[in-house]
Amino acid sequence: PAAPARAARPLPRRTPRRAGAVQALVLGALSLVGGARWLLGLGVLDDLVGRQLPWVPHTPWWLLACGWLLLGSAAGRALLCGLLARGLTAGLRPGTYPRGGAAHLRLWAAERAVAQFNLAGLLGTPWGRHYARLLGCRVGRDVDLHALPPVTGLARFGAGCAVEPEADLAGWWLDGDQLRLGAVDIGAGARIGARSTLLPGAVVGAGAVVAPGACVAGAVPAGAEWHGSPARPMEPEQAQAWPAPVHRRSRRWDAAYGVSLLCLGLLPWLAAAPALGALWAVLDLDRHPGLGRIVGQLLVLTPPLAVLTTVCYAALVALLVRWCSRGITPGFHPAHGRTGWCVWLVHQLVAGSRGSLFPFYASLLTPTWLRLLGARVGRSAELSTVSGMPSLLRVDDGAFLADDTLVAPFELRGGWLRLGHSRVGTRAFVGNSGIVGPGRELPDGALVGVLSDAPAWAGPGTSWLGRPPMALPRVAAQLDPARTFDPPRRLVLARAAVELCRLLPVVASAWLGDLALGALQFTVDRDSWPLSLVAAAVVATALGIVALALTTAAKWLLMGRFRAGEHPLWSPFVWRNELFDCFLETLAMPWLGSALLGTPMLVWWLRSLGARIGRGAWLETHWLPEPDLVTIGARASVNRGTVLQTHLFHDRLMRLDTVRLEAGATLGPHAIALPGSRVGAGAVVASSSLVMGGEELPAGSSWAGNPVLPADGGLA
């Protein structure tokens, strides 16, 4: 594409060296909080078995209850997050700040603190609004908030507005060496669709609609309906008719949300109960064994018990989802009532399973798992980390749903909840982060590209790309059916054997938990609680480093060095690659990786995986699927939710190529760069934008859109 007619942007300056030191101190403080939660669990366990083990100290139950109220309950965690965020972001105002400066580091620390406590369960409940007020946001009556409010508190939610899941309201992004921070204003009765992004300074007028996946950089007029990236007015025939706004509240259903939050927190313990019972019987605690013997036996018993716990957790999730799905039917329903509660609970369970049961996804087991959740899935379908309402999802024979697809989601507006069936036809394809909305159908053989929407109407065999979607000519590759759609039994068995190894990172994570338990018990038996707290922080950090090292070792043992090329779905290369990804998402990220986002430590670890990253680069993402194929230049900025997508999988052929960001280049929030693309030195790609495969963006230029076009007027 031609370069936009504007002056070239200067290269960013280096991030101050003190930033890394400050971040290390913040991570150390947060590890103390994590250590306190570990010690709280250990105190409960010690009190339960203390009668059988005289050397185990007893902690008063009232003290454990107070600790749980503060660190374990949803209300306590929300209060702590609100206080921490208010303190860290006090005085921050809309404007432009240096990347890595004091203001940026305060914002980064506040976001890491909120992530430490995982408040996703509050979203969509009445307490989500109270949490937003704790942060300093102005929140009107009857707001339906299903996405995290900005930690800065720089947001206004008008009365009766609705914000759907995964909407980005953070109000900031990195543009080169500058942090652009602003407020977000959502008018009364407005609707913000799922996975949409409101950039700093975005204003959505009263009664306006921002469609799912849209990106708003300016002002949306009152009553207007906008979609796309960048957002623009909808065509009249695309607008969806909704009932008149009606907001109903019930104390009974508010109480149901509170009880549900408590039960969701207990769900992992219920899943672990059979394993704990078996462990109690095997360890023979009546003989008073020493700590070393208990830890040794625990390490031996962990593999079968970890599998048992995983199966029990999956069974509980499946039973709850199927039970709740009985109250989920297509049509319009009050957002607050039985159907609304069922939808919220199913969403929480399905979203949680994508993390806790990650080995189930992108595997031969995935169709069976989704069928257990209530979806209708045909033969030979390939499904990755799909999300949505399972009971409203239909996937026909041979269809392919890539990473992070959203199919059959719910929609909110004016106190109403809209649900609808979604169908992906025979041998149809939905690319990474694609959306098939409620009531939409992707016909047989059709394709929806990366970061794209399924159109309201599409013919069989058609291809669509972008937001809004546009038709593209495409000729499907003619490949060996034995390696794509119709594999022989020997390949099925071989793949199953490789995928069975996905239990390895699960067991490794459980083993790290055993070592943590033994180390903390040793310190609690010998030292005071304050010293034990420090020890817990040190142990958590050390084991997190071990998890990162194990993941690095798994990458080099399984994959060696990634190279550009092509591999059919039914090939060992693809299966081993998914196994490596399982180590990444199941072991590395939960233990330490997610806490390192935006730090030099993340860069060091990604380099150990093979990525080439220059000095001073700032990364808010770990999504570099094939690290050896990624080059990120010095002082580049890669924002949150961004994917350097080094492979594509349409036609069931994995095509790998390099992605290159030159020195000082910027990828905005939720942007994706496809294989073979290059972003020139100092160039900027705006939020929710798609850099097409093979595109080369000139140095110093600015780009926005899905797919990208020159941003002649600059970026918001």
Side-chain angles (χ1 to χ4, degrees):
R6 62 189 303 275
R9 300 168 59 93
L11 292 180
R13 298 183 296 271
R14 290 187 180 276
T15 302
R17 292 186 176 181
R18 69 175 183 276
V22 172
Q23 289 175 317
L25 291 175
V26 171
L27 291 176
L30 292 178
S31 66
L32 289 174
V33 177
R37 298 175 71 180
W38 281 17
L39 290 176
L40 179 64
L42 180 64
V44 173
L45 186 62
D46 282 353
D47 281 6
L48 291 175
V49 302
R51 295 179 181 178
Q52 278 72 29
L53 299 173
W55 45 269
V56 171
H58 175 76
T59 304
W61 282 106
W62 67 266
L63 184 60
L64 295 176
C66 292
W68 177 82
L69 287 174
L70 184 63
L71 298 174
S73 68
R77 289 182 284 121
L79 178 62
L80 275 179
C81 285
L83 295 175
L84 285 172
R86 288 291 286 268
L88 289 167
T89 62
L92 283 184
R93 296 291 180 265
T96 301
Y97 300 91
R99 187 186 74 173
H104 184 200
L105 292 178
R106 289 163 58 197
L107 175 63
W108 172 86
E111 293 211 331
R112 294 281 73 76
V114 170
Q116 171 85 7
F117 287 99
N118 186 19
L119 296 177
L122 284 177
L123 304 177
T125 72
W127 292 275
R129 301 191 301 274
H130 298 314
Y131 170 62
R133 293 190 181 103
L134 274 174
L135 294 175
C137 301
R138 292 180 291 162
V139 184
R141 291 177 55 86
D142 299 320
V143 171
D144 290 318
L145 186 59
H146 288 255
L148 283 171
V151 296
T152 58
L154 297 174
R156 183 183 76 88
F157 299 93
C161 72
V163 182
E164 293 176 3
E166 299 183 59
D168 188 333
L169 312 177
W172 66 269
W173 70 291
L174 294 176
D175 180 2
D177 62 352
Q178 295 180 327
L179 166 70
R180 300 194 182 277
L181 176 65
V184 171
D185 193 317
I186 303 173
R191 173 198 167 205
I192 309 300
R195 297 189 178 180
S196 56
T197 302
L198 303 188
L199 291 176
V203 178
V204 180
V209 172
V210 176
C215 178
V216 178
V220 178
E225 301 199 15
W226 283 29
H227 68 162
S229 175
R232 68 210 77 172
M234 281 185 179
E235 298 295 331
E237 63 270 20
Q238 292 178 285
Q240 172 68 41
W242 285 72
V246 176
H247 295 279
R248 302 183 179 94
R249 293 288 177 183
S250 167
R251 291 183 179 179
R252 179 167 62 94
W253 285 110
D254 288 353
Y257 282 107
V259 174
S260 302
L261 284 173
L262 177 63
C263 292
L264 286 175
L266 295 176
L267 198 61
W269 290 96
L270 291 175
L276 292 175
L279 192 63
W280 182 282
V282 171
L283 289 181
D284 193 15
L285 299 180
D286 292 333
R287 296 185 180 182
H288 309 316
L291 177 60
R293 182 180 176 185
I294 289 178
V295 173
Q297 290 180 312
L298 194 58
L299 291 172
V300 173
L301 296 171
T302 286
L305 295 182
V307 174
L308 175 62
T309 301
T310 301
V311 171
C312 290
Y313 183 80
L316 288 173
V317 169
L319 287 172
L320 286 172
V321 169
R322 291 296 289 263
W323 177 70
C324 290
S325 296
R326 298 171 62 186
I328 297 177
T329 56
F332 291 96
H333 307 270
H336 299 279
R338 180 172 180 264
T339 300
W341 174 78
C342 289
V343 167
W344 169 81
L345 188 54
V346 168
H347 173 75
Q348 292 292 328
L349 291 167
V350 172
S353 72
R354 290 178 60 191
S356 54
L357 298 174
F358 187 84
F360 283 22
Y361 289 87
S363 71
L364 291 172
L365 186 60
T366 313
T368 302
W369 169 240
L370 289 181
R371 291 185 193 112
L372 287 174
L373 296 180
R376 298 166 61 189
V377 182
R379 296 183 58 189
S380 301
E382 289 289 337
L383 310 171
S384 186
T385 48
V386 59
S387 59
M389 294 290 109
S391 62
L392 302 177
L393 169 63
R394 174 181 169 184
V395 181
D396 290 345
D397 296 348
F400 195 115
L401 274 63
D403 294 339
D404 203 34
T405 50
L406 180 60
V407 186
F410 63 90
E411 297 180 344
L412 293 164
R413 187 179 182 184
W416 292 96
L417 180 77
R418 177 178 177 246
L419 299 169
H421 289 292
S422 295
R423 172 181 171 261
V424 180
T426 301
R427 296 201 177 188
F429 178 90
V430 183
N432 299 58
S433 302
I435 298 178
V436 182
R440 297 209 170 180
E441 178 176 322
L442 192 64
D444 297 348
L447 177 146
V448 170
V450 174
L451 207 65
S452 303
D453 294 339
W457 181 91
T462 54
S463 299
W464 302 85
L465 179 73
R467 287 184 179 140
M470 59 182 180
L472 289 180
R474 183 180 73 93
V475 178
Q478 300 299 319
L479 303 171
D480 180 7
R483 291 301 185 110
T484 53
F485 287 95
D486 190 20
R489 183 178 296 274
R490 62 178 179 82
L491 289 182
V492 176
L493 294 176
R495 179 178 174 182
V498 174
E499 291 181 350
L500 187 62
C501 296
R502 294 186 180 199
L503 292 173
L504 292 176
V506 175
V507 172
S509 183
W511 272 333
L512 292 181
D514 295 341
L515 295 176
L517 176 66
L520 293 183
Q521 187 68 67
F522 178 77
T523 57
V524 167
D525 292 345
R526 290 190 52 184
D527 303 316
S528 62
W529 282 105
L531 289 177
S532 298
L533 179 61
V534 175
V538 173
V539 168
T541 303
L543 293 178
I545 294 173
V546 171
L548 298 183
L550 289 174
T551 302
T552 298
K555 184 266 178 184
W556 291 106
L557 289 172
L558 290 169
M559 306 306 305
R561 187 172 296 279
F562 287 103
R563 303 184 188 279
E566 297 181 348
H567 304 272
L569 170 65
W570 290 90
S571 63
F573 178 91
V574 174
W575 312 332
R576 288 185 282 112
N577 193 17
E578 293 290 354
L579 178 55
F580 157 61
D581 191 49
C582 197
F583 273 90
L584 187 77
E585 298 292 346
T586 304
L587 184 62
M589 297 309 296
W591 274 94
L592 184 60
S594 58
L596 299 182
L597 296 177
T599 69
M601 290 75 84
L602 178 71
V603 172
W604 300 340
W605 177 55
L606 292 176
R607 285 174 182 160
S608 77
L609 295 176
R612 290 179 285 276
I613 305 176
R615 294 186 61 184
W618 190 290
L619 274 69
E620 293 278 348
T621 181
H622 71 283
W623 286 325
L624 284 60
E626 288 78 33
D628 303 286
L629 300 178
V630 174
T631 299
I632 300 174
R635 307 187 301 283
S637 295
V638 183
N639 282 263
R640 64 188 177 278
T642 297
V643 184
L644 284 79
Q645 189 65 47
T646 47
H647 74 258
L648 290 177
F649 231 133
H650 53 276
D651 302 322
R652 299 201 172 194
L653 181 67
M654 188 180 196
R655 300 170 175 88
L656 295 96
D657 206 345
T658 59
V659 173
R660 185 177 184 89
L661 271 65
E662 303 288 355
T666 296
L667 281 181
H670 313 293
I672 296 181
L674 294 182
S677 62
R678 183 181 69 86
V679 181
V684 177
V685 177
S687 176
S688 302
S689 297
L690 178 67
V691 184
M692 294 292 290
E695 281 192 322
E696 296 191 7
L697 309 185
S701 55
S702 298
W703 301 80
N706 182 355
V708 292
L709 292 172
D712 295 325
L715 303 173

